[in-house]
Amino acid sequence: MTRSSVQGEDTDEGAAAAPEREEAVRGDGDNGVEDTGSNTKDDSGSTEGEPEGPRPRRRRRVLRWTAVVLAVVLAGTAGAGYLYYEHLNDNIKQDVLNLGDSKVAAPTPNAAGQTPLNILVIGSDARDSEENQQLGGARETFGSTPLADVQMLVHLSADRSNMSVVSMPRDTLLEIPKCTDPDDGKVHPASEGRVMTNQSLGHGGPGCTVATWQELTGIHIDHFVMVDFAGVVSMADAVGGVPVCVDANIHSRDAGGHGSGLKLAKGTHPVKGKQALQWLRTRYGFEDGSDLARAKAQHMYLNSMVRVLRENATLSSPNKLRRLAEEATAALTVDPGLDSVKKLYDLSNELRAVKPERITMTTMPNRYVGARVEPTEDAEQLFRLVREDIALDGKDAKKKPDAEPEPPADPAASDDEIAVQVRNGTRTDDLGTAPGRANTVTGLLVDRGFTKAVADPSVLPSEDRTVVRYPSADLEGDARRVAKSLGIPASSVKRSTDVSGVTLVVGADWREGTAYKVPESDDSTPESAEALNGADDSACMHVNPAFTWS
């Protein structure tokens, strides 16, 4: 197994401290390299609870190069037979998919036997080659802790009709689970409290970033793709440039020399090479100068590149296609499930079948916590839509009522022989645990003949919806019987290795009363996710007036 080295912080040589006005717009570096730019003031990677007050100018630069490689994977090309050149396989680096202890069960196949596909796209601030160093600067960052400064989840629906992309801000506060480095066996313990999500890459590799996503979202991740700096310039050049739009003249450079250096006139222009890098880096000059504005610019770039790859006839040229294939494979680190050109090509065939108008780009809804951000209730709504394979564009065909599932292999035991643990999972972000719910529901079960039902006060999970979990196939019938007795739908009966027996978790949808009412589903994409449709070629980035020119 091999892993490309990744680097941590990137500092400006001789850079002065940023002025106090750098509250919304934060410091970028020299050499055309922008500060990695979270949407927050300081970038130390520290835990929650930092003191308020002025913070030092941000010194990390992040390159949102991931969008370029993702676009190549999404679109594919008609002449992709050239990708079968065997030597391309040697370009591809690989690493372990999941370094965490906990697993998330794969989704249940639909009626046609199809399952969704989830791919985590990761970008690090790597300085692991001369080319990457020239593009990213900061010679002093070799050997520093790796950071996953770009994280995008690509979800391909089970029926392959639509695709959703969810970006997570790099400074999102969350808990990183315990991860074991596959190279040296070093155990990285779970984080003490919440830390920035980009630290996950330094806990053993991209497999820990995968584990962190699964822990937060409950979404089963099938693959990851990690990419380095150098791929942006080469691949953007190979496709002849990517059209982007600004609503005013922009120059991403302030009086102190901070900024990506991007200079464009108002309107739509194709960018490639170093200018493409500048677009993907730019934070100084877009909207409020936050990392969220930069993510919006990256979504625009990605959507545009997908269209270019589909429409650009120059890619029928064998030489240009070969060059694109060479550059793309050399830039990638993947999990073993994608460790060959053929596997990547097969994946691209599945992804490119989705029309641009069925691709939806989103940013995880978040709110500020001091100098960082955290997921909101809307974020959980977005994660649920992905988990349940609901299209974010709202264009899913009207779903038929859930059919009665096939009978379990092992029928249920008699009610008085079924052991059930009942837990109180009614706590939410806004409400504390509703007292006594486990005891109340246990009493309901006992009254209905489940005399072995017991309340478990030692565990207080948090569940939006009431759920019955079971650990193995021989207990599925028992779990279904418990659910049916309380009016809980079969869709809320889940197999899980996190429980040792049939376990009923009373969710936030049943905080009171003795009759369970199935909640109506809101399957709309939250407005706070700032969805952008893949076919939208009218999007234009708003330029901050402080960074315009005439």
Side-chain angles (χ1 to χ4, degrees):
M1 175 184 64
T2 60
R3 179 184 302 136
S4 60
S5 62
V6 288
Q7 310 300 327
E9 297 195 354
D10 183 8
T11 57
D12 251 348
E13 296 178 2
E20 290 185 1
R21 71 177 182 84
E22 299 293 337
E23 289 293 328
V25 180
R26 283 163 292 278
D28 295 322
D30 295 334
N31 305 319
V33 180
E34 182 155 344
D35 162 19
T36 51
S38 76
N39 40 338
T40 59
K41 302 172 191 173
D42 127 311
D43 203 12
S44 64
S46 61
T47 58
E48 205 174 357
E50 299 172 359
E52 295 297 326
R55 292 175 172 82
R57 185 179 65 81
R58 310 173 62 82
R59 292 180 177 272
R60 234 174 249 144
R61 290 56 158 189
V62 66
L63 172 59
R64 301 295 191 175
W65 63 92
T66 306
V68 181
V69 173
L70 176 57
V72 172
V73 175
L74 291 180
T77 61
Y82 287 97
L83 295 179
Y84 285 104
Y85 281 117
E86 191 62 31
H87 72 277
L88 293 180
N89 288 330
D90 295 333
N91 287 346
I92 303 170
K93 297 173 285 293
Q94 64 170 299
D95 213 327
V96 177
L97 175 61
N98 184 359
L99 302 184
D101 291 339
S102 63
K103 311 297 178 186
V104 174
T108 304
N110 62 15
Q114 301 166 302
T115 54
L117 193 62
N118 295 307
I119 306 155
L120 186 62
V121 181
I122 304 168
S124 73
D125 52 1
R127 306 292 191 273
D128 57 348
S129 70
E130 182 177 351
E131 185 178 9
N132 277 332
Q133 184 181 337
Q134 289 174 348
L135 294 171
R139 287 179 292 275
E140 70 274 20
T141 61
F142 281 90
S144 57
T145 303
L147 297 170
D149 279 328
V150 181
Q151 300 175 36
M152 293 183 177
L153 181 69
V154 180
H155 171 83
L156 179 63
S157 64
D159 64 5
R160 304 309 191 248
S161 68
N162 66 87
M163 189 184 307
S164 305
V165 180
V166 179
S167 294
M168 184 187 295
R170 61 181 291 278
D171 55 357
T172 299
L173 289 173
L174 45 68
E175 295 181 1
I176 298 176
K178 184 184 80 172
C179 293
T180 303
D181 192 315
D183 284 347
D184 57 15
K186 178 180 178 180
V187 175
H188 296 265
S191 61
E192 296 182 4
R194 299 190 301 175
V195 297
M196 285 171 55
T197 182
N198 67 346
Q199 295 184 36
S200 59
L201 191 60
H203 290 220
C208 194
T209 305
V210 169
T212 301
W213 266 78
Q214 291 195 155
E215 192 87 7
L216 176 70
T217 67
I219 297 169
H220 175 81
I221 295 177
D222 302 281
H223 300 292
F224 76 80
V225 175
M226 186 168 73
V227 66
D228 66 16
F229 278 151
V232 179
V233 171
S234 54
M235 287 186 284
D237 288 348
V239 299
V242 176
V244 295
C245 177
V246 287
D247 67 0
N249 299 342
I250 183 174
H251 187 199
S252 179
R253 184 73 72 195
D254 70 2
H258 313 120
S260 71
L262 177 71
K263 189 172 185 179
L264 288 175
K266 176 181 178 180
T268 301
H269 310 275
V271 294
K272 60 182 180 178
K274 185 174 181 179
Q275 198 170 45
L277 283 175
Q278 290 173 333
W279 177 274
L280 294 168
R281 291 186 186 119
T282 295
R283 197 165 47 73
Y284 271 48
F286 286 155
E287 300 187 351
D288 64 354
S290 73
D291 199 46
L292 303 178
R294 174 157 50 190
K296 186 183 294 185
Q298 292 158 5
H299 290 167
M300 181 190 300
Y301 182 96
L302 172 56
N303 284 341
S304 184
M305 189 168 189
V306 168
R307 291 192 295 271
V308 168
L309 284 167
R310 287 176 175 273
E311 300 166 5
N312 194 334
T314 63
L315 287 181
S316 62
S317 161
N319 287 334
K320 290 188 176 181
L321 181 58
R322 185 180 299 112
R323 178 186 173 194
L324 180 60
E326 291 278 2
E327 301 293 353
T329 53
L332 299 181
T333 300
V334 299
D335 67 275
L338 293 177
D339 63 353
S340 72
V341 172
K342 183 181 186 307
K343 291 176 182 177
L344 288 168
Y345 176 61
D346 289 344
L347 174 62
S348 74
N349 273 343
E350 288 201 81
L351 295 172
R352 69 174 180 167
V354 180
K355 297 178 180 179
E357 54 266 28
R358 296 303 312 276
I359 299 174
T360 306
M361 310 287 297
T362 64
T363 298
M364 181 199 78
N366 60 85
R367 60 177 162 243
Y368 280 96
V369 179
R372 306 296 183 206
V373 299
E374 67 180 3
T376 63
E377 294 78 7
D378 282 354
E380 173 51 34
Q381 165 77 346
L382 189 65
F383 298 152
R384 180 183 69 81
L385 296 178
V386 174
R387 286 196 302 266
E388 297 180 8
D389 196 26
I390 297 171
L392 299 187
D393 60 8
K395 296 178 182 177
D396 270 342
K398 189 172 182 180
K399 294 188 176 181
K400 298 178 181 178
D402 290 336
E404 191 67 26
E406 292 290 328
D410 288 337
S414 60
D415 292 352
D416 61 354
E417 290 297 322
I418 298 176
V420 189
Q421 280 195 339
V422 183
R423 296 174 178 172
N424 188 344
T426 56
R427 175 175 52 86
T428 70
D429 289 343
D430 300 318
L431 298 171
T433 301
R437 295 306 293 161
N439 287 328
T440 297
V441 175
T442 298
L444 290 175
L445 287 170
V446 171
D447 289 345
R448 296 177 190 188
F450 294 88
T451 55
K452 290 189 175 181
V454 295
D456 180 6
S458 65
V459 180
L460 294 175
S462 177
E463 293 285 348
D464 288 335
R465 295 194 178 193
T466 299
V467 62
V468 181
R469 296 193 172 97
Y470 63 95
S472 55
D474 60 310
L475 292 177
E476 181 180 2
D478 292 357
R480 286 199 205 176
R481 174 64 192 139
V482 169
K484 187 175 182 178
S485 73
L486 295 172
I488 299 169
S491 59
S492 294
V493 179
K494 309 286 187 182
R495 183 169 177 172
S496 172
T497 56
D498 291 335
V499 296
S500 58
V502 176
T503 303
L504 167 62
V505 183
V506 183
D509 58 348
W510 198 9
R511 290 178 60 87
E512 59 185 10
T514 56
Y516 179 72
K517 296 179 181 179
V518 180
E520 293 185 7
S521 294
D522 175 11
D523 292 342
S524 61
T525 300
E527 289 187 11
S528 56
E530 299 188 342
L532 178 65
N533 186 272
D536 185 357
D537 59 4
S538 65
C540 208
M541 286 303 298
H542 175 62
V543 175
N544 186 314
F547 291 89
T548 192
W549 53 275
S550 58

